[in-house]
Amino acid sequence: MGSALPLPLNDNEIVSGTVRTADADGLLVTVGPLGLVRARRAAGCLLAPEAGDGVLLALLGSGEAWVLTVLAKKTELGSLALPAHTLLRAESLDMTTTRGSWRGESLSLEGGS
């Protein structure tokens, strides 16, 4: 995807920035003196970055920019962005919420004693 503007980098850098826009094509992030940078969300960035969020970016010498993590949310609402086919494994899993719902075209729950 590259950057919105050429990045004057000879090596890799880690910087912080603020998301301006987020859509299916990627993110536009304002990064201090570099200005507007086009970036993609790294696979390990599970919290989906949204406009106004503070993020940590890896700027690569190749011109690629990757959002590594969301540092601060602009709003209280956050969403996990997982791959289309995700398997969650745990020896023990405790999910606690004051309010919740499960939605899907097909849901199943299995258990044993």
Side-chain angles (χ1 to χ4, degrees), residues 13-110:
E13 289 187 37
I14 302 292
V15 298
S16 62
T18 303
V19 176
R20 292 297 162 219
T21 63
D23 59 33
D25 294 328
L27 304 136
L28 288 177
V29 182
T30 300
V31 179
L34 293 175
L36 202 56
V37 173
R38 185 176 309 278
R40 294 190 312 189
R41 183 177 59 88
C45 182
L46 299 182
L47 193 58
E50 298 173 332
D53 290 350
V55 295
L56 189 66
L57 290 94
L59 304 177
L60 307 183
S62 65
E64 292 179 290
W66 295 89
V67 171
L68 303 176
T69 191
V70 174
L71 297 172
K73 294 290 298 165
K74 181 179 179 182
T75 64
E76 292 182 14
L77 181 63
S79 65
L80 293 178
L82 301 172
H85 300 284
T86 299
L87 175 62
L88 180 60
R89 290 184 186 179
E91 187 173 314
S92 175
L93 178 63
D94 179 22
M95 296 175 60
T96 305
T97 182
T98 53
R99 194 171 46 116
S101 65
W102 293 88
R103 295 183 196 117
E105 289 183 27
S106 174
L107 295 173
S108 64
L109 181 63
E110 296 179 30

